Amino acid sequence: MSPLGKLWVFCFFVAVTHSLWPIPCHYEHGTQNLWLSPDVRLVHRPRVWKYNAFGWLSTLQKRMQQMIKPGPDVQVPLSLPPEEDLVRLAAFERMKNAIFNQTFIPWKFYPRNATFEPDPNDSALVIDTIVIEEVSYIEGVVGSSKELLEAYSLHISDCAEATIKITHLHGWLHAIETISQLFYSHSRDPRRAYTPFAPVTICDGPSFEHRGLNLDISRNWIPPEDVKRTIHAMAACKLNRLHLHAADAQSWPLEIPSLPALADKGAYSSFQTWSGPDLEDVQQYGKMHGIEVYLEIDMPGHTTAIGQAFPELTTAAYEEDWSEYAFQPPSGQLRLNSTNVTAFVSTVLEDLLRRTSRFGPLFHFGGDELNLKAYELDPTVKSSSVHVIRPLLQSFVDHEISIAASRSMTPIVWEDMLLDWNITLPLSTIVQTWRPTDALAAVLAKGYRALFGSNRHWYLDCGLGFHVDPDPSNPRSPIKPPFLDTCSPYKNWREIYSYIPLNGIEDSLRHLVLGGELHLWSELTDSITLDGMLWPRVAAGAEVMWSGGGKVLDEETTRRLAEMRERLVARGVRAGMVQMEFCLRNKGSCGAVGGECGISSVRGRRAGEKGDMRGKKGMVKNNEDLGRLEELKEEENEKEKGMLVAAYDDGTWSFKSTMITQQRQTRYGASFPLLLLYFGCVSLVFQWLGRTAKLQDTSEKVHGNPLYDTQMDSEGIWGLQVPDQAQQEKVETPWKGLDEIAIFAAMLDALQVMQSHFYSIPLGQWPDAIDWTAAVLGTQVSATLSTMTASWHKDVDLQSDATRRPTSDDTLLYENEINRYFTHITSFYFGENAFSLRTQAYDDMLWVVLGWLESIKFINLHSKLQGSLQSSFRPGMDEVQSNFSWYGEQFIPQFAHRAHLFYDLASKGWDTSLCGGGMIWNPYLAPYKNAITNELFIAASVEMYLHFPGDDNASPFVAKNKAAVNAALPPAKAHESKYLKNAVEAYQWLKTSKMKNAKGLYADGFHIKGWRGGPNGSEGSGKCDKRSEMVYTYNQGVILSGLRGLWDATGTREYLDDGHELINNVIKASGWDLRDTRWQWQWAGLGRNGVMEDACDSHGTCSQNGHTFKGIFFHHLRLFCAPMDIRSANDGDDMKPPQEADEQVIASHWKSCATYEPWIRHNAQAAYITRNENGEIGTWWGVGASDTELGLNGVEPSPKGGTDYRNDGVPVDELWRLPEDLQGKSSGNTQESTRELRDKNLIQHSAFRDPNERGRGRTVESHSGGLAVIRAAWSVTDGKR
């Protein structure tokens, strides 16, 4: 790799450099004074994408402008912005704190009594606003990478206008640090800050993408707070990787929750440890500073401390003659041919990778200084032969790397594994070199990416002397005066700065060099001496990695680094000296004898310049390149720009966001503490609340008495009572305008994450899903597509101004987005495990039916709406609409056939011999008539009646020649009455089955007392008289779409009333009416604090089944509350609707549904705050990553008399199993052992600060639940327009 890492930066100018560290690529400045206001505001102009990060349309930008009327500022509620915004805001606060509170006054750099500050009464201009513009490229920095992620430009004009341009958040972090170094505090008024360098122009970017420090926290314990202070200093020097050497032979300070004995016995003492929360806190702190903190667990060498807890895992441990078996005391390393060691390594790595992977992809496996002789004492090896040990070592490394691969982590190893042991490594492995340049060249020659950091130049511990005591009785002891260590001398900052990392590396190999690290091994360093050992030497290395090395080292370099040192000291870092004060005060007085001092200023870097290791690949070579630059500039200038203005006053951030076009300007306002609101076209901030924040919308007024009412009122309206007009005027409703777009954007984001992170197009599957959950996922995708197309066309219809209607180009972009996800549905048709599902439980089959009917509904809707839209582009050609056929219609016969086939198979589960009717859940178990299978049968039956288009394919497989196949599947017409009759009969059975509990919720199901199968079996009572009291969220949801479908088909209002009654019972059981009481976190039967919850959520023991449940509920709630039309009889019906729905029924139904909006949004917010850094949504809604205490103490037992077979597995006993399944097996309920495992799970994961990472963690099923509830929140909003 060139010194740029993956970038080649071309700098167009050369300029004198003052004050800044590391040196920018290009820096020009003047001599004018400017002041910086303590109340400086931040204005954010996000990049406007024509095709943005969510893959949606630029027309949404127009839509946002059209939906919100210009006017006075509107208050926006407290919200939780994406983590990037928190990082951005934290950096801005650090800048202000460094300038105004840490008061760096450069008095050491001027002669005594010199006047160097401007008059505080000077009327110089004041910078009161810093504008951040997100752009596609940085002028003056041209890169071969798709995005120059860390590049930035800064311009401060002589009229106090400050503008930063960035392509990514990382560029912002570097730019804001540069600003902090341009300003000085005034000695007479520290709250005033000035720069003497205006105007300023900087364009900048790093030479290497990996710029790090390797810090040993194990040989001597380094506390987390000291490491955080180190991170703070690293960020100031624009470093971006902190490599923690977390364990070694001497101690194991890192707590491993799954192996608590490791730190208990391996650490120096009980207080010299790093807990799980300590590690997470440090990694999160690093992330907020733009630094990835990653771990090294060095194995199999350097592992003696493991033997303190597990002596059976190590060999040659604590040998008296340690030098025979180790590089330094104590001796000991892991055995190589032990299954116990393999299990230990798996446990440690799985534990750590699960917790740390969300902070970055890197993990270091060590692998250096392995001692051969130690394996002579290993009872599993008994040899020091390389030929014996190398295959064992290969197997050991393969095992480590396979675990990393399972977590999508990038492995790093020391060069020893490749160069000394010739271990075969995946090319994705990064090899870290620690020996001179020859080692780096050898690694690159093998095709591996590499990190540099020669021990001859960048070992910070060198020169302190040996840590081994001399032996006076041994005259041949190597430890003798002057007691130098093996890597002496001490590497002072000039030595570090003089290191040219790519010197001697062929140009053709430089692209493989990612960057480097300085190293501090801590044999003779602890928390007291840490800062002085690191700083300012690490800063010197930081400039080498930023600039590429090979820069002029002169007095100007010294003065710049000395100023950086003073700034670090002002920030609380106890950095060592760079130069004595006399030399700093008297510039030019400390030059070398016989030389000229202080006359050569450090120049800006230029590609191809001698000593500049970038090479010439970054240069603009021809007019074509220059023309492309001009095109990019023109495209950028033509984009619409959105601004977010932020101001800080009395501990509160206030914001005014402005979308600017040539015609209009719309302004909003918001107020919330220390959270930055950021939005682009569709990548808008999702306006969600933390669960402890108060909703400032209608829900504040409607969720508690007397407005909360779970009974039907005199007008026939169920649900949360709507406040009267006077009450509504007092209630702030944040879900208007921008907020509506934010919900829509979040829905698109959730869909994009689900399909890009979890779906495999080649497989036509979500590989991690199980068969039935995959069917539900397909349903969610199709339903979301229906929502997208309906919302888009509603926007079109609402635009009365023809100039604001979408163009044909807009429509093509929109259609492309729809087609992108529809292709996933079509590939899933072939990827679905249909053959296996045909032999599974009846409920599994019915999920398939609902899924493909949902796809058919989307195809019909989209085709109809697209026909209407196409005709609008062709005036006078109305026949376009009537003749238009969207290409997706060709899949309807196949989708219909699969729905038909699986409905026919599932309907065989209807049984009248027991309980007088009802569906049996699973033909392979004892009869169990559960709620979900019967609800699915009702919903699927009425959906078949309403939406099934007919199917005359008699084969269970798709076949072109219908006459050639066995007519095993009877043909079916659209709207056949048998489907409606099945639905009506099944609901009548369910309603009278006593399936509901005292709270009005559906319990799980019924067994039959005394039933025994087999030749001598008995039907027992023949009645459903043994009810499982287990309550699941999805049992309350599927029936809702069935009830709505029954109303659509029959017009009987009773179905709607039953649905609303159930919804109100669910809302109450979620704890919605307890939110403002001291019982707000009390379990209410189906959740707490107004958030739905399954019992397994708090335990962290949900199976893939349980992860899917809440999303199912909200999907079917959305169907229940979908907009209604006046019904008309279907052509060819055998059963005509008995009455036509009137407008009063529709109005009362919609009003009832509208009252659920605050609760739905509350749950959407609760789901959204569980996102991790990848945007993946967790399953325990409302519980954020830092809610450790609630996560451990808020668990709820399963209800008495309930069996959680969906998450714990079906018990092996006579109640559940068939007699033949019990032969040879011990009878008895397995739930007790399952609970023991659950308790173990809670203990094992007690150190998790993110409860949603427990158990299965975040899955495609849990994420789909978030998509469903967000879509429900959008649908209820969209329905009001």
Side-chain angles (χ1 to χ4, degrees):
M1 174 173 283
S2 82
L4 262 179
K6 287 189 177 178
L7 322 172
W8 292 293
V9 174
F10 176 71
C11 305
F12 296 108
F13 305 101
V14 178
V16 176
T17 311
H18 292 282
S19 75
L20 299 180
W21 194 277
I23 180 177
C25 170
H26 163 65
Y27 175 25
E28 291 180 340
H29 69 87
T31 57
Q32 179 180 333
N33 292 320
L34 289 178
W35 298 95
L36 182 68
S37 170
D39 300 317
V40 61
R41 300 180 305 162
L42 194 61
V43 176
H44 185 208
R45 292 177 181 163
R47 188 182 335 184
V48 178
W49 296 89
K50 190 171 185 181
Y51 193 85
N52 62 60
F54 293 126
W56 199 241
L57 308 171
S58 61
T59 51
L60 290 174
Q61 182 106 358
K62 302 173 186 177
R63 170 181 175 174
M64 182 172 66
Q65 296 167 342
Q66 296 159 5
M67 291 177 69
I68 307 175
K69 298 179 179 179
D73 293 348
V74 179
Q75 292 297 309
V76 180
L78 176 66
S79 64
L80 289 175
E83 191 168 25
E84 279 196 3
D85 304 322
L86 299 179
V87 174
R88 185 178 289 107
L89 178 61
F92 187 62
E93 281 298 288
R94 288 198 302 272
M95 181 204 77
K96 297 201 330 180
N97 187 49
I99 294 173
F100 296 110
N101 297 332
Q102 294 168 342
T103 59
F104 170 56
I105 301 168
W107 53 268
K108 283 188 178 181
F109 296 84
Y110 297 92
R112 184 177 180 182
N113 300 323
T115 300
F116 58 87
E117 294 179 309
D119 186 337
N121 299 317
D122 187 358
S123 59
L125 294 174
V126 178
I127 299 172
D128 59 7
T129 300
I130 297 175
V131 177
I132 318 166
E133 292 185 8
E134 291 190 37
V135 296
S136 301
Y137 74 103
I138 303 297
E139 185 174 359
V141 182
V142 178
S144 60
S145 177
K146 293 180 180 179
E147 290 183 333
L148 307 179
L149 298 182
E150 298 186 84
Y152 70 94
S153 70
L154 169 64
H155 180 68
I156 301 176
S157 72
D158 51 10
C159 52
E161 295 175 340
T163 302
I164 295 170
K165 292 184 178 181
I166 61 172
T167 62
H168 190 270
L169 174 65
H170 294 155
W172 159 250
L173 295 174
H174 299 323
I176 212 71
E177 179 57 42
T178 297
I179 290 180
S180 72
Q181 294 182 24
L182 285 172
F183 286 87
Y184 304 94
S185 299
H186 200 285
S187 60
R188 282 184 276 175
D189 184 0
R191 286 291 293 169
R192 299 204 67 188
Y194 68 94
T195 181
F197 302 127
V200 175
T201 298
I202 293 173
C203 70
D204 205 6
S207 294
F208 294 102
E209 63 183 70
H210 185 119
R211 306 179 307 282
L213 167 66
N214 169 25
L215 179 60
D216 177 3
I217 63 171
S218 59
R219 287 184 171 94
N220 275 312
W221 181 65
I222 307 296
E225 288 305 313
D226 292 323
V227 175
K228 289 168 70 174
R229 186 174 66 255
T230 301
I231 290 172
H232 186 64
M234 290 174 66
C237 300
K238 299 183 174 67
L239 293 168
N240 65 355
R241 300 286 192 277
L242 177 57
H243 162 187
L244 292 181
H245 184 81
D248 212 288
Q250 294 76 18
S251 82
W252 185 291
L254 198 62
E255 292 183 2
I256 306 296
S258 55
L259 294 170
L262 259 182
D264 286 348
K265 297 180 179 181
Y268 285 128
S269 67
S270 60
F271 62 84
Q272 290 175 294
T273 62
W274 277 54
S275 68
D278 287 337
L279 177 59
E280 182 183 15
D281 184 44
V282 167
Q283 289 189 294
Q284 182 64 32
Y285 190 82
K287 189 171 184 178
M288 296 297 288
H289 286 71
I291 293 174
E292 179 183 344
V293 180
Y294 70 95
L295 295 181
E296 177 191 350
I297 301 297
D298 196 353
M299 294 187 287
H302 293 272
T303 50
T304 319
I306 294 172
Q308 293 282 6
F310 305 103
E312 70 279 7
L313 303 182
T314 59
T315 185
Y318 300 101
E319 291 293 321
E320 183 175 353
D321 188 3
W322 60 265
S323 62
E324 288 287 322
Y325 304 102
F327 174 73
Q328 61 183 204
S331 63
Q333 50 200 40
L334 286 177
R335 299 180 182 184
L336 276 185
N337 197 20
S338 166
T339 56
N340 291 334
V341 170
T342 303
F344 169 83
V345 170
S346 297
T347 301
V348 170
L349 295 182
E350 288 287 357
D351 188 302
L352 285 173
L353 294 179
R354 183 172 55 244
R355 291 185 284 133
T356 61
S357 59
R358 66 190 181 96
F359 294 104
L362 301 180
F363 194 90
H364 204 307
F365 292 97
D368 66 324
E369 297 175 338
L370 194 63
N371 185 284
L372 280 171
K373 191 174 179 60
Y375 288 110
E376 293 178 355
L377 306 183
D378 182 350
T380 68
V381 178
K382 297 181 180 180
S383 174
S384 59
S385 169
V386 172
H387 301 293
V388 172
I389 294 174
R390 181 185 289 128
L392 298 175
L393 184 59
Q394 180 71 63
S395 178
F396 184 93
V397 173
D398 288 345
H399 179 59
E400 289 183 305
I401 290 181
S402 68
I403 296 173
S406 70
R407 290 278 175 176
S408 300
M409 300 291 280
T410 300
I412 306 177
V413 299
W414 290 110
E415 63 178 64
D416 309 46
M417 289 289 99
L418 186 67
L419 302 184
D420 297 348
W421 289 95
N422 198 28
I423 296 299
T424 300
L425 301 167
L427 280 179
S428 60
T429 307
I430 298 171
V431 179
Q432 183 163 23
T433 62
W434 57 273
R435 289 175 284 201
T437 304
D438 288 348
L440 179 62
V443 170
L444 300 177
K446 290 177 178 288
Y448 289 92
R449 297 176 298 166
L451 302 175
F452 55 76
S454 168
N455 59 348
R456 292 184 183 177
H457 301 278
W458 277 14
Y459 266 33
L460 303 177
D461 58 307
C462 292
L464 299 183
F466 254 120
H467 52 273
V468 178
D469 293 323
D471 182 3
S473 65
N474 182 6
R476 296 184 179 181
S477 172
I479 312 302
K480 56 189 176 182
F483 302 109
L484 299 178
D485 54 47
T486 56
C487 61
S488 289
Y490 179 86
K491 317 305 182 193
N492 62 62
W493 74 262
R494 288 184 176 89
E495 167 67 12
I496 289 169
Y497 190 83
S498 300
Y499 177 44
I500 303 176
L502 298 189
N503 194 19
I505 301 299
E506 296 180 11
D507 289 346
S508 62
L509 297 176
R510 291 182 177 181
H511 68 283
L512 292 172
V513 182
L514 301 182
E517 293 181 349
L518 298 104
H519 308 272
L520 179 58
W521 306 110
S522 66
E523 289 94 340
L524 296 176
T525 300
D526 64 6
S527 62
I528 304 301
T529 61
L530 177 66
D531 286 5
M533 289 292 292
L534 292 174
W535 310 102
R537 294 188 294 163
V538 171
E543 179 156 300
V544 173
M545 289 184 280
W546 184 266
S547 68
K551 296 295 162 282
V552 176
L553 175 55
D554 59 6
E555 184 184 22
E556 188 65 32
T557 310
T558 301
R559 295 180 68 83
R560 285 191 304 109
L561 184 56
E563 181 171 314
M564 186 65 198
R565 183 261 180 183
E566 297 301 320
R567 290 186 183 275
L568 291 176
V569 170
R571 299 183 187 192
V573 178
R574 298 182 292 273
M577 290 293 294
V578 172
Q579 179 62 289
M580 65 177 172
E581 189 172 325
F582 171 83
C583 300
L584 298 178
R585 284 186 178 274
N586 299 279
K587 186 175 182 180
S589 62
C590 294
V593 175
E596 295 181 300
C597 304
I599 62 172
S600 176
S601 61
V602 177
R603 298 182 299 161
R605 303 194 307 274
R606 182 172 56 188
E609 185 178 15
K610 183 179 180 180
D612 186 348
M613 303 307 298
R614 298 176 187 280
K616 298 182 179 180
K617 294 184 179 180
M619 298 180 65
V620 176
K621 299 178 181 178
N622 50 44
N623 292 333
E624 181 179 349
D625 291 339
L626 290 172
R628 179 55 185 153
L629 279 177
E630 292 303 316
E631 291 174 10
L632 288 171
K633 290 173 63 177
E634 185 176 351
E635 290 173 9
E636 190 66 38
N637 292 334
E638 289 179 352
K639 292 177 180 177
E640 296 178 332
K641 295 181 179 179
M643 295 196 306
L644 179 70
V645 182
Y648 187 74
D649 183 30
D650 296 332
T652 302
W653 279 95
S654 60
F655 296 82
K656 294 180 180 179
S657 74
T658 310
M659 300 310 300
I660 298 178
T661 65
Q662 296 178 349
Q663 299 176 339
R664 59 187 292 183
Q665 179 174 346
T666 306
R667 180 165 293 180
Y668 322 95
S671 179
F672 53 90
L674 298 176
L675 295 177
L676 179 61
L677 184 64
Y678 166 63
F679 61 90
C681 171
V682 175
S683 52
L684 305 170
V685 174
F686 194 17
Q687 307 292 326
W688 305 119
L689 295 174
R691 61 176 191 195
T692 56
K694 299 293 183 181
L695 284 172
Q696 299 298 320
D697 62 7
T698 312
S699 63
E700 288 290 341
K701 299 294 182 181
V702 301
H703 77 267
N705 291 330
L707 295 177
Y708 183 84
D709 185 2
T710 59
Q711 301 299 317
M712 186 167 60
D713 65 11
S714 58
E715 296 182 1
I717 299 177
W718 283 90
L720 308 177
Q721 290 281 64
V722 178
D724 59 29
Q725 185 64 33
Q727 289 172 317
Q728 291 187 39
E729 292 176 355
K730 298 177 182 179
V731 178
E732 296 178 0
T733 54
W735 300 98
K736 295 180 180 178
L738 171 64
D739 307 276
E740 294 177 354
I741 298 296
I743 306 173
F744 189 62
M747 179 186 72
L748 299 177
D749 183 31
L751 177 63
Q752 188 271 337
V753 169
M754 187 170 90
Q755 295 306 98
S756 63
H757 291 198
F758 298 106
Y759 188 76
S760 169
I761 293 179
L763 297 177
Q765 257 284 10
W766 296 267
D768 294 332
I770 54 180
D771 292 345
W772 82 265
T773 65
V776 173
L777 297 173
T779 307
Q780 301 283 22
V781 174
S782 294
T784 305
L785 290 178
S786 293
T787 300
M788 289 164 62
T789 193
S791 297
W792 164 261
H793 287 88
K794 179 174 286 190
D795 280 352
V796 174
D797 294 340
L798 290 176
Q799 301 307 322
S800 57
D801 186 347
T803 63
R804 291 180 179 172
R805 293 176 68 83
T807 65
S808 58
D809 288 340
D810 291 332
T811 305
L812 288 174
L813 286 173
Y814 142 77
E815 181 67 13
N816 183 66
E817 188 69 6
I818 292 289
N819 290 341
R820 176 152 72 107
Y821 295 116
F822 182 67
T823 58
H824 295 183
I825 294 299
T826 57
S827 67
F828 176 55
Y829 175 81
F830 299 99
E832 186 174 42
N833 197 1
F835 293 103
S836 175
L837 280 161
R838 291 173 58 189
T839 64
Q840 295 180 23
Y842 295 124
D843 62 337
D844 298 331
M845 301 176 190
L846 291 166
W847 293 116
V848 176
V849 177
L850 290 180
W852 294 113
L853 290 177
E854 191 69 41
S855 298
I856 291 171
K857 287 158 61 178
F858 159 68
I859 294 170
N860 289 330
L861 174 66
H862 187 63
S863 186
K864 174 184 176 182
L865 295 176
Q866 277 296 85
S868 174
L869 186 61
Q870 291 300 320
S871 66
S872 70
F873 292 120
R874 304 179 186 183
M877 298 181 66
D878 292 338
E879 67 274 10
V880 172
Q881 179 175 359
S882 60
N883 296 328
F884 180 84
S885 176
W886 183 56
Y887 87 98
E889 291 184 22
Q890 65 184 312
F891 296 101
I892 288 180
Q894 286 73 35
F895 294 174
H897 179 68
R898 183 162 293 177
H900 178 200
L901 171 63
F902 274 86
Y903 182 86
D904 187 71
L905 291 171
S907 62
K908 294 178 173 56
W910 182 261
D911 166 69
T912 57
S913 65
L914 299 172
C915 311
M919 287 286 292
I920 291 174
W921 167 45
N922 191 326
Y924 309 108
L925 295 172
Y928 185 55
K929 299 201 172 185
N930 60 353
I932 194 61
T933 308
N934 282 278
E935 292 178 15
L936 282 165
F937 186 62
I938 296 165
S941 296
V942 76
E943 287 282 288
M944 288 289 287
Y945 173 72
L946 293 171
H947 303 292
F948 175 63
D951 175 39
D952 59 357
N953 184 353
S955 171
F957 310 100
V958 176
K960 293 182 179 179
N961 185 0
K962 300 186 179 75
V965 299
N966 180 22
L969 184 66
K973 298 185 299 182
H975 313 300
E976 278 197 18
S977 60
K978 68 176 182 179
Y979 298 123
L980 181 57
K981 289 176 180 178
N982 286 349
V984 171
E985 181 181 354
Y987 181 65
Q988 183 62 32
W989 179 87
L990 180 66
K991 187 172 182 178
T992 58
S993 68
K994 300 182 180 179
M995 194 79 75
K996 286 186 177 179
N997 64 16
K999 293 180 179 289
L1001 304 175
Y1002 281 101
D1004 190 68
F1006 283 101
H1007 281 105
I1008 291 86
K1009 283 184 180 179
W1011 184 92
R1012 296 291 182 272
N1016 301 317
S1018 167
E1019 291 188 355
S1021 67
K1023 299 178 180 179
C1024 286
D1025 48 10
K1026 189 171 181 59
R1027 189 173 74 185
S1028 171
E1029 298 302 323
M1030 196 68 206
V1031 176
Y1032 296 112
T1033 53
Y1034 77 152
N1035 283 347
Q1036 324 309 319
V1038 174
I1039 189 60
L1040 294 176
S1041 64
L1043 292 171
R1044 169 59 189 271
L1046 284 169
W1047 179 85
D1048 287 335
T1050 67
T1052 303
R1053 176 165 180 161
E1054 174 190 357
Y1055 295 123
L1056 296 181
D1057 291 342
D1058 289 352
H1060 286 295
E1061 182 179 16
L1062 177 59
I1063 294 169
N1064 279 273
N1065 292 338
V1066 168
I1067 292 175
K1068 189 170 184 178
S1070 73
W1072 179 249
D1073 54 346
L1074 301 175
R1075 293 189 318 130
D1076 280 347
T1077 73
R1078 64 191 181 94
W1079 307 107
Q1080 61 176 345
W1081 295 113
Q1082 178 177 303
W1083 178 255
L1086 206 63
R1088 65 190 100 215
N1089 202 45
V1091 178
M1092 286 197 81
E1093 184 180 323
D1094 283 291
C1096 64
D1097 291 337
S1098 60
H1099 299 129
T1101 56
C1102 292
S1103 66
Q1104 289 175 273
N1105 298 322
H1107 277 197
T1108 319
F1109 289 169
K1110 294 189 293 296
I1112 291 172
F1113 173 86
F1114 280 100
H1115 168 71
H1116 290 271
L1117 173 61
R1118 187 197 68 84
L1119 293 177
F1120 180 78
C1121 284
M1124 288 180 164
D1125 296 316
I1126 300 296
R1127 297 174 308 107
S1128 59
N1130 291 306
D1131 293 338
D1133 282 354
D1134 293 324
M1135 179 182 286
K1136 301 292 185 183
Q1139 65 182 40
E1140 190 173 79
D1142 56 24
E1143 294 183 2
Q1144 182 179 0
V1145 173
I1146 294 175
S1148 63
H1149 173 72
W1150 176 243
K1151 286 181 181 179
S1152 298
C1153 285
T1155 65
Y1156 309 141
E1157 180 182 5
W1159 179 74
I1160 296 172
R1161 291 189 172 180
H1162 180 65
N1163 276 268
Q1165 294 161 357
Y1168 197 73
I1169 67 170
T1170 67
R1171 291 183 312 158
N1172 63 11
E1173 64 177 358
N1174 298 320
E1176 297 162 357
I1177 297 171
T1179 190
W1180 194 6
W1181 295 353
V1183 179
S1186 62
D1187 295 317
T1188 312
E1189 183 175 354
L1190 179 65
L1192 297 177
N1193 298 331
V1195 297
E1196 294 297 331
S1198 299
K1200 186 176 181 180
T1203 302
D1204 190 4
Y1205 67 102
R1206 288 297 193 183
N1207 296 294
D1208 297 341
V1210 177
V1212 182
D1213 61 18
E1214 293 181 347
L1215 184 65
W1216 289 87
R1217 301 284 184 167
L1218 295 173
E1220 54 268 30
D1221 292 336
L1222 296 175
Q1223 293 178 4
K1225 298 181 181 179
S1226 58
S1227 181
N1229 196 311
T1230 64
Q1231 297 302 302
E1232 192 61 39
S1233 60
T1234 304
R1235 292 193 184 98
E1236 291 174 2
L1237 289 173
R1238 173 178 297 167
D1239 294 340
K1240 181 179 179 181
N1241 187 2
L1242 289 171
I1243 295 171
Q1244 178 177 344
H1245 296 285
S1246 61
F1248 275 67
R1249 295 194 65 185
D1250 183 354
N1252 278 292
E1253 282 299 310
R1254 298 173 303 152
R1256 292 183 175 271
R1258 290 170 173 84
T1259 62
V1260 62
E1261 288 89 1
S1262 69
H1263 186 84
S1264 72
L1267 170 62
V1269 69
I1270 293 168
R1271 179 163 49 84
W1274 168 250
S1275 296
V1276 71
T1277 296
D1278 198 41
K1280 296 188 300 183
R1281 295 193 295 144

